[in-house]
Amino acid sequence: MVRISKTRVALCLALAMLLSLFAACGGGGGETTTEPSAVELTVNASASAEPSTGETTLEEPGSSGTEVSTETDHSTSETTTTTQAGSTATTTTTTTAATTTAADKKPTTTAEIVEYFNKSANKVKTDKPGYSWRDRAIIDKDSVSISSRTLQAMAPTLISWAEGLFAKWTEKDTVAKGANHNDFPVSGQSWSSTLTPAMVSSAICTDAGTVYKIKITLKDEKLSELPVNPTTTNHGKAMNLMTKKVLEEGTANIPLLKITQFAPTYTGSYIDCTIDKATGNIKSINYMERFKADITVNVGNTTASVMIGLEKQYDLKY
């Protein structure tokens, strides 16, 4: 919990400082811009986390059209089609024989994949394996929209400067086997995931020899403010979200500045993990909490909108 707070508090502090500079320079006055179209957020994944080898490009839902995942076994032919532009997933199933879900059978439908992931994630809390982890925060500079054309032009330069406070990967920390596993998502709970298929826009399971590689992308979720209790949200059913308390801690010492609005719209958030087929144990897992933040500060009533990614990676040792 300590490191996650430091990373996110640093992000809040940097945003508050930038907005105060914007307000001081331009007063938030008059000029408006049209918010730029959605852009790609590219994440350099950890070399040690198996599901995140190389580079992962996150696209705004709707930018890549329709994603189709088709898996076939001896008894059942299923086609799962997820339309990312909206919030409704449509699954069409043609059954040629009775469908069974055995412990050694690869999960294929969204419901099967989500159930399989939940069991493996919840095992971390009960089995308490050793693990290492690191995190970072990312601002997509090209997505920034500010209520002044002058300040809009300054934003990329100022954000590049502020990234030194939060954007680099933190040094890996370790938790011993059998120690307190409260930090593993979801913090403060006896479980790690209570996702349901209705919360998911796509779920893909790939057979990679001795392991399954699973990627679950969550449906968009719009909130009027950062959550006080993340577990009341869909994203908070499987992730440690940034909270209202963290925002208040991060901006408490900025004189004369108050963020009067910080409304997140979660879009493109995902969980990427590798699970051992023989045991159901998670070997590595990557959480990406990605949201568009609509922010207003009291000085000059300055408003801004920006895409933010909060990424955390775990490597587990059973």
Side-chain angles (χ1 to χ4, degrees):
M1 286 297 290
V2 174
R3 175 159 291 164
I4 227 176
S5 295
K6 284 183 178 178
T7 299
R8 299 185 180 199
V9 166
L11 172 66
C12 295
L13 177 62
L15 288 173
M17 291 170 63
L18 289 173
L19 288 170
S20 63
L21 286 172
F22 294 154
C25 293
E31 302 177 55
T32 59
T33 61
T34 301
E35 184 174 340
S37 60
V39 295
E40 295 182 350
L41 175 64
T42 300
V43 178
N44 294 320
S46 166
S48 62
E50 289 189 42
S52 304
T53 303
E55 289 193 344
T56 301
T57 301
L58 305 183
E59 293 184 352
E60 191 79 19
S63 64
S64 58
T66 301
E67 178 184 0
V68 180
S69 173
T70 304
E71 302 291 347
T72 305
D73 61 33
H74 295 295
S75 60
T76 305
S77 175
E78 294 182 343
T79 300
T80 301
T81 302
T82 301
T83 303
Q84 294 190 356
S87 60
T88 302
T90 302
T91 302
T92 303
T93 303
T94 303
T95 304
T96 56
T99 300
T100 60
T101 304
D104 59 348
K105 181 183 176 183
K106 176 186 159 191
T108 55
T109 67
T110 296
E112 289 173 349
I113 294 170
V114 169
E115 180 184 11
Y116 183 79
F117 168 75
N118 284 347
K119 288 181 179 178
S120 295
N122 291 335
K123 266 169 59 67
V124 176
K125 288 289 181 78
T126 57
D127 295 354
K128 297 187 176 181
Y131 66 83
S132 61
W133 61 276
R134 63 179 186 168
D135 66 340
R136 67 172 176 173
I138 307 161
I139 288 183
D140 183 358
K141 293 186 283 291
D142 294 330
S143 72
V144 178
S145 176
I146 303 173
S147 57
S148 164
R149 289 188 177 90
T150 302
L151 303 182
Q152 178 78 39
M154 296 168 55
T157 300
L158 290 171
I159 288 174
S160 294
W161 164 79
E163 281 178 331
L165 294 175
F166 58 79
K168 293 181 180 179
W169 283 110
T170 56
E171 299 237 353
K172 281 193 175 182
D173 200 358
T174 59
V175 174
K177 185 175 182 178
N180 188 324
H181 279 44
N182 182 64
D183 174 67
F184 192 86
V186 173
S187 292
Q189 304 299 321
S190 61
W191 45 268
S192 298
S193 177
T194 57
L195 286 176
T196 67
M199 302 172 187
V200 172
S201 66
S202 68
I204 300 172
C205 178
T206 303
D207 191 328
T210 61
V211 300
Y212 290 133
K213 293 193 174 185
I214 289 176
K215 183 169 184 178
I216 296 174
T217 303
L218 304 185
K219 287 182 179 178
D220 291 1
E221 183 175 14
K222 183 178 177 62
L223 302 181
S224 60
E225 62 179 359
L226 288 171
V228 175
N229 177 8
T231 62
T232 61
T233 69
N234 288 344
H235 277 62
K237 299 293 193 297
M239 291 184 170
N240 285 330
L241 301 183
M242 189 161 81
T243 63
K244 189 174 182 180
K245 180 180 179 181
V246 169
L247 178 67
E248 292 170 350
E249 289 175 351
T251 58
N253 296 322
I254 304 293
L256 304 178
L257 177 75
K258 182 178 180 182
I259 294 180
T260 57
Q261 179 191 27
F262 195 112
T265 299
Y266 299 97
T267 178
S269 299
Y270 68 83
I271 302 166
D272 204 352
C273 66
T274 299
I275 301 176
D276 181 68
K277 290 165 66 173
T279 62
N281 295 336
I282 291 179
K283 300 184 68 175
S284 59
I285 187 164
N286 182 75
Y287 292 89
M288 172 59 82
E289 173 192 349
R290 185 174 185 266
F291 58 92
K292 183 183 113 176
D294 292 315
I295 308 168
T296 304
V297 295
N298 60 325
V299 182
N301 200 34
T302 302
T303 62
S305 176
V306 61
M307 289 299 304
I308 296 171
L310 296 171
E311 186 175 20
K312 189 166 186 180
Q313 296 178 340
Y314 294 87
D315 291 307
L316 296 96
K317 303 291 184 184
Y318 273 83

